Amino acid sequence: MTALDTDALGAWVREFARAVTEHRDELTELDSAIGDADHGTNMDRGMTAAVAALDATPPADAAALLKTVAMTMISKVGGTSGPLYGTFFLRMSGAVGDGSPAAFAAAFRAGVEGVVARGKAEPGDKTLLDALLPAADALTEAVGAGQGLDTALRAAADAAAKGRDSVTPLVARKGRASYLGERSAGHVDPGAASAVLLVEAAATTLARS
Amino acid sequence: MAQVGIVVVSHSRPLAEAAVELARQMLPGSTVPIEVAAGTDDGGLGTDAVAVSAAITAADSGDGVLVLMDLGSAVMSAETALELLDEDVRARVLLSPAPLVEGLVGAAVVAAGGADRDRVAAEALRGLAPKQAHLGG
């Protein structure tokens, strides 16, 4: 059984932070089209601070690592992505399990359910959930079918990207973008775009662990 | 006499502090606890759930806390802050859907008079009534 230990999850978080920094301007540009133009800078501030917090105080275990990321995100991001991503990592932290792929899939789903509870969004509202929910489904299904973690995470990342793209034509029903009504249609949702980076980072780091 | 605390959550620290100043003007000599959790720690616009939970703890003297918010992430940060509190404190906290400025002034006045939490919350919700009556809305 593959071990998803503290080092592996740390590598995931660091790769997500790196990807957020790399795509910071792009995320902000997406948000300037349909929101308040801060998603890239907010996420970058939060994830950069999360990595700094992990460096400052190396976590004792996987749950502590995810909790540090959670608390940093809810404190430092500033916008709604702080409570949303923070709750994702907080609920994952409480469900981390034995480090097996099945436990990781269950913890990931617990995190996504935390985002559902926090944001009260539904599929098709054009939010990060439109990437996270299909990713959780694909991950659970692939792991449940006995596929390796690399295959399962690739399926999850592909499902997240497909979910992000599926809501681009839709009108946003949550957050600042919902004030724009029809004008939000045709734009990529910034939250769904950053959520794809999160799952893609898992596919590129955890599959090797 | 109850001492209900009030917490103001806003994206902007100047906005929150000005709202508190406006409310305090109505309360000469009052020590009603009003705490602010507003802005990012680098002085920008944003909300911080950890700061909100600390403000709630500071405002709480055991008789309950009413939390007033502006919009968007202020609401989600306030909800997240509840998760960070001890259960006994959380049970005393109420997040108010009242308008921030009007709700704060109304709530602060009755809190200073020693009203209990539910009475303070009800007064916050009535915050728009004088303006609506005046404008015929």
Side-chain angles (χ1 to χ4, degrees):
Chain A
M1 197 65 87
T2 309
L4 282 162
D5 59 11
T6 314
D7 288 346
L9 295 177
W12 171 37
V13 166
R14 285 164 197 277
E15 170 58 17
F16 179 43
R18 191 203 61 73
V20 163
T21 302
E22 184 186 325
H23 293 276
R24 178 186 59 209
D25 295 347
E26 181 191 326
L27 292 171
T28 290
E29 189 152 320
L30 293 175
D31 198 26
S32 72
I34 62 173
D36 48 0
D38 61 6
H39 189 58
T41 46
N42 281 351
M43 288 295 293
D44 186 35
R45 182 171 57 238
M47 286 307 299
T48 300
V51 169
L54 294 178
D55 287 341
T57 312
D61 55 28
L65 181 142
L66 293 167
K67 187 162 187 198
T68 295
V69 177
M71 296 303 286
T72 311
M73 291 298 275
I74 65 175
S75 180
K76 300 295 182 193
V77 168
T80 41
S81 43
L84 290 169
Y85 278 99
T87 302
F88 171 83
F89 285 110
L90 199 60
R91 297 289 168 86
M92 260 200 97
S93 163
V96 79
D98 61 7
S100 67
F104 179 80
F108 186 89
R109 178 167 293 284
V112 173
E113 282 167 3
V115 177
V116 173
R118 179 66 62 230
K120 302 186 175 78
E122 291 176 8
D125 280 351
K126 196 166 179 164
T127 72
L128 73 172
L129 277 175
D130 288 304
L132 291 177
L133 282 169
D137 288 344
L139 184 60
T140 305
E141 191 184 321
V143 168
Q147 292 180 352
L149 192 62
D150 51 349
T151 310
L153 285 168
R154 177 42 46 205
D158 291 348
K162 200 171 154 199
R164 171 200 63 199
D165 295 341
S166 74
V167 294
T168 296
L170 303 184
V171 174
R173 290 199 291 257
K174 285 280 175 184
R176 300 281 178 107
S178 63
Y179 291 110
L180 295 176
E182 296 291 335
R183 276 173 49 211
S184 64
H187 291 280
V188 175
D189 180 65
S194 63
V196 170
L197 298 180
L198 175 74
V199 186
E200 192 63 47
T204 55
T205 56
L206 299 179
R208 290 200 302 266
S209 62
Chain B
M1 189 171 119
Q3 171 128 89
V4 173
I6 298 173
V7 170
V8 176
V9 182
S10 170
H11 282 66
S12 159
R13 179 157 283 274
L15 190 155
E17 286 176 347
V20 172
E21 186 188 359
L22 192 66
R24 288 253 183 234
Q25 202 183 25
M26 310 277 292
L27 318 167
S30 165
T31 56
V32 60
I34 307 178
E35 298 289 332
V36 164
T40 55
D41 57 10
D42 57 3
L45 296 177
T47 59
D48 171 349
V50 176
V52 177
S53 77
I56 290 170
T57 304
D60 177 40
S61 60
D63 291 332
V65 176
L66 188 73
V67 182
L68 293 149
M69 297 143 271
D70 59 10
L71 69 166
S73 72
V75 180
M76 268 192 229
S77 284
E79 290 177 315
T80 305
L82 294 183
E83 274 193 48
L84 307 179
L85 293 167
D86 292 338
E87 199 164 335
D88 59 324
V89 179
R90 178 164 61 233
R92 296 195 287 271
V93 180
L94 194 68
L95 307 184
S96 171
L100 178 60
V101 175
E102 291 86 344
L104 173 62
V105 172
V109 169
V110 295
D116 66 18
R117 191 203 66 184
D118 289 348
R119 173 88 178 81
V120 173
E123 196 61 26
L125 276 180
R126 274 188 7 92
L128 277 182
K131 199 155 76 181
Q132 284 169 327
H134 184 88
L135 295 173

